[in-house]
Amino acid sequence: MQRSRVSSVVTDHRAASPAGTLPARLIQPASRSGLPPLVVLHGISRNADELVDLFRPEAEASGRPVLVPHFSASRWPHFQRPCRAARPDQALLALMGHLAGFDPAFAGRLDVFGHSGGAQLAHRFAMLYPQRLRRLGLAAAGWYCLPDAGMSHPCGIGADADPDTLVWARRHRAVLAEYLGLRVEVYVGTLDVGRDETLRQTPRLDREQGPNRLARAETYVARFRAAARAQGIRPDIALIRLPGVAHDVAQAIRQAGLARCVTHETPALASAC
């Protein structure tokens, strides 16, 4: 009887940081292609194990390692954005440093992807550490930090009367040009137009970004392009609408091939989503 060939292994890791310990699972394909590792960030459903299962076939097909951290509800009740009370960015940096001890590829630029709350963390992490990223993928974020100094943090990169916003604004502005030079792909379902209880809703946010995730993705892409051009940077950002997909990452992967688009390098795959 011929045994099936094992084409990947999944290993468990954890790394401590001043912000707390962050566990993760790493999909390691048996054959490596040379593509950089991909970090996949879950949303508030915290479905890290499901994402491991959904991304594993694409990790094997693409020959790239895929890292899926798990922000537990007990340790990380709020992980969607770095703030004074929570620093998931520090935990991610520590995790990357830990893995670099096993695989030097983690010391270089990585691709980072997030869905929903994970997309919120992914783009805010990129705004702080663009030098650690090669490519950024965002799917259906609830709302965005826009690269606009006329809007105070966390909705933009400006400051108001709160001294805390000045600290974040200065950090974002210091690396803004490098952030705007990243390759970015924004995915959103054409049916992701609901206003459920997990969508942040304020009159100001609805007015400035739109009433739902589809509209807010469109706003983010438009504002990113405008900010890049204002700095003389040619924006490398695409908005990819997923036909017939609602706010469901498993549906987006199974029906629209989202994991394939994110994991593989072929531009045609993204345009086919």
Side-chain angles (χ1 to χ4, degrees):
M1 180 178 177
Q2 185 178 8
R3 294 184 179 179
S4 60
R5 183 173 63 88
V6 176
S7 52
S8 68
V9 295
V10 178
T11 55
D12 294 322
H13 299 266
R14 61 178 53 241
S17 74
T21 298
L22 179 63
R25 303 186 74 194
L26 175 63
I27 308 168
Q28 303 180 72
S31 178
R32 295 281 289 267
S33 65
L35 288 173
L38 169 67
V39 180
V40 174
L41 302 176
H42 61 70
I44 61 171
S45 64
R46 304 175 195 271
N47 59 335
D49 287 342
E50 181 183 26
L51 289 173
V52 169
D53 292 338
L54 291 169
F55 272 85
R56 189 170 184 176
E58 302 304 335
E60 296 170 354
S62 65
R64 71 190 311 183
V66 175
L67 178 69
V68 186
H70 180 219
F71 291 92
S72 67
S74 58
R75 179 61 192 86
W76 300 95
H78 305 290
F79 70 92
Q80 296 95 318
R81 68 178 178 91
C83 61
R84 184 162 42 186
R87 293 299 304 271
D89 58 311
Q90 292 181 347
L92 279 175
L93 287 175
L95 184 61
M96 293 172 183
H98 164 77
L99 287 165
F102 300 91
D103 184 346
F106 278 92
R109 288 179 177 260
L110 310 177
D111 290 0
V112 176
F113 166 78
H115 175 265
S116 194
Q120 293 186 42
L121 175 57
H123 85 279
R124 291 178 174 115
F125 181 85
M127 294 181 83
L128 292 169
Y129 313 102
Q131 74 280 3
R132 291 307 318 272
L133 274 71
R134 187 195 67 131
R135 181 181 177 203
L136 176 63
L138 309 173
W143 60 293
Y144 298 84
C145 179
L146 301 177
D148 186 340
M151 304 169 65
S152 61
H153 190 268
C155 293
I157 58 172
D160 56 23
D162 183 353
D164 197 40
T165 66
L166 181 58
V167 173
W168 292 105
R170 284 174 173 168
R171 291 195 61 178
H172 289 317
R173 292 183 198 177
V175 294
L176 180 61
E178 191 166 1
Y179 168 64
L180 294 173
L182 289 175
R183 176 181 174 186
V184 185
E185 289 151 3
V186 181
Y187 303 88
V188 65
T190 58
L191 301 183
D192 200 348
V193 294
R195 287 174 62 83
D196 55 77
E197 66 278 1
T198 64
L199 179 71
R200 183 166 181 172
Q201 303 174 37
T202 67
R204 178 185 175 186
L205 196 57
D206 289 348
R207 181 177 65 254
E208 293 177 344
Q209 297 195 22
N212 54 58
R213 295 179 183 89
L214 176 57
R216 293 176 184 182
E218 293 169 343
T219 297
Y220 171 73
V221 171
R223 300 295 284 276
F224 187 102
R225 287 173 176 159
R229 288 169 180 147
Q231 295 218 10
I233 298 168
R234 181 178 180 180
D236 188 5
I237 185 169
L239 177 63
I240 300 151
R241 298 175 179 85
L242 307 178
V245 172
H247 194 63
D248 184 331
V249 67
Q251 180 194 28
I253 289 171
R254 294 187 176 114
Q255 179 176 311
L258 176 60
R260 182 179 72 253
C261 296
V262 170
T263 309
H264 292 259
E265 193 68 10
T266 308
L269 289 173
S271 63
C273 284

